[in-house]
Amino acid sequence: GIQVEQSPPDLILQEGANSTLRCNFSDSVNNLQWFHQNPWGQLINLFYIPSGTKQNGRLSATTVATERYSLLYISSSQTTDSGVYFCAVGFSGNTPLVFGKGTRLSVIA
Amino acid sequence: NAGVTQTPKFRVLKTGQSMTLLCAQDMNHEYMYWYRQDPGMGLRLIHYSVGEGTTAKGEVPDGYNVSRLKKQNFLLGLESAAPSQTSVYFCASRSLQGAGQPQHFGDGTRLSIL
């Protein structure tokens, strides 16, 4: 099956710093989503981005489908950005997503 | 608009007991999913459903059964709970309409098997 690898596994930042999270996947995909799991365990969808670039406030994401990777950028990080960021991929819009193991981000004031 | 609601939020069981986790969504979504989350493992798909009356196995289906008798509900059953099933369980739903529909997650059920 498809493999999803996220790096780094853990990241500690000072408030205000920028960061880049990476997601590599083993096969061609038509569905890629980024999720944030907050410290209370809630999972929030951040982006649907099988290709190209999207931005939402301080967060942006880029997927280079031909090279099988996606990047999530967090600028001017805040303590509320802490949590685990998951990348999930699928072969099509209708197949179940396969999740990576996540990147745990801790933003320190 | 509640979104995806999971019941119960916490439960402690003894080995061998049975229980059912309920997932309810009010968004008229066709697709529903059950995942388990274990430390360092990310989310792994247990079972899923693409519509009322249909179910399919995911990556880790053993020891679980599911039913989707109504479109809005997706039930996850443990017939004989084992300590290896101690985990946090998440339900999610998604619309079939168009590509790129985001998955909406419930808040999770923390299940401990003693």
Side-chain angles (χ1 to χ4, degrees):
Chain A
I2 193 167
Q3 304 295 315
V4 183
E5 293 185 1
Q6 293 187 242
S7 59
D10 296 279
L11 186 59
I12 301 175
L13 295 177
Q14 199 75 36
E15 197 171 28
N18 302 327
S19 64
T20 301
L21 284 58
R22 187 177 180 101
C23 172
N24 292 333
F25 43 94
S26 60
D27 292 289
S28 298
V29 299
N30 289 307
N31 188 352
L32 188 147
Q33 302 187 25
W34 283 95
F35 295 85
H36 175 223
Q37 185 171 38
N38 64 26
W40 296 271
Q42 296 171 319
L43 283 152
I44 307 298
N45 186 284
L46 298 175
F47 293 104
Y48 164 79
I49 186 161
S51 64
T53 298
K54 287 188 178 180
Q55 182 163 3
N56 184 1
R58 295 180 296 103
L59 272 62
S60 64
T62 295
T63 297
V64 183
T66 54
E67 298 187 20
R68 300 181 183 172
Y69 73 89
S70 182
L71 302 173
L72 179 68
Y73 304 97
I74 304 174
S75 64
S76 304
S77 59
Q78 301 176 358
T79 55
T80 53
D81 295 329
S82 295
V84 183
Y85 290 81
F86 290 103
C87 169
V89 303
F91 287 114
S92 74
N94 295 331
T95 55
L97 293 173
V98 176
F99 282 74
K101 294 183 178 181
T103 292
R104 181 173 298 277
L105 175 66
S106 300
V107 181
I108 302 171
Chain B
N1 192 336
V4 180
T5 303
Q6 292 184 230
T7 309
K9 297 188 185 305
F10 305 94
R11 186 72 183 268
V12 178
L13 292 177
K14 294 182 179 179
T15 297
Q17 287 185 316
S18 63
M19 80 161 296
T20 300
L21 281 63
L22 171 62
C23 177
Q25 54 95 3
D26 60 5
M27 296 172 283
N28 202 34
H29 285 171
E30 292 80 7
Y31 288 0
M32 296 188 74
Y33 309 87
W34 275 108
Y35 295 90
R36 60 178 288 174
Q37 184 178 27
D38 302 296
M41 296 294 292
L43 277 78
R44 293 183 293 170
L45 183 66
I46 305 171
H47 287 280
Y48 65 103
S49 169
V50 300
E52 182 178 325
T54 72
T55 63
K57 294 181 179 180
E59 178 186 356
V60 288
D62 294 342
Y64 305 95
N65 57 74
V66 289
S67 65
R68 182 106 181 261
L69 298 180
K70 293 183 178 181
K71 185 177 184 179
Q72 63 268 32
N73 296 335
F74 195 28
L75 278 63
L76 178 70
L78 286 73
E79 290 188 350
S80 181
S84 60
Q85 294 177 305
T86 293
S87 188
V88 181
Y89 292 84
F90 285 96
C91 176
S93 72
R94 183 173 71 83
S95 173
L96 177 59
Q97 302 303 318
Q101 293 296 324
Q103 282 191 195
H104 298 263
F105 281 87
D107 288 344
T109 294
R110 188 173 297 276
L111 185 60
S112 295
I113 315 296
L114 304 179

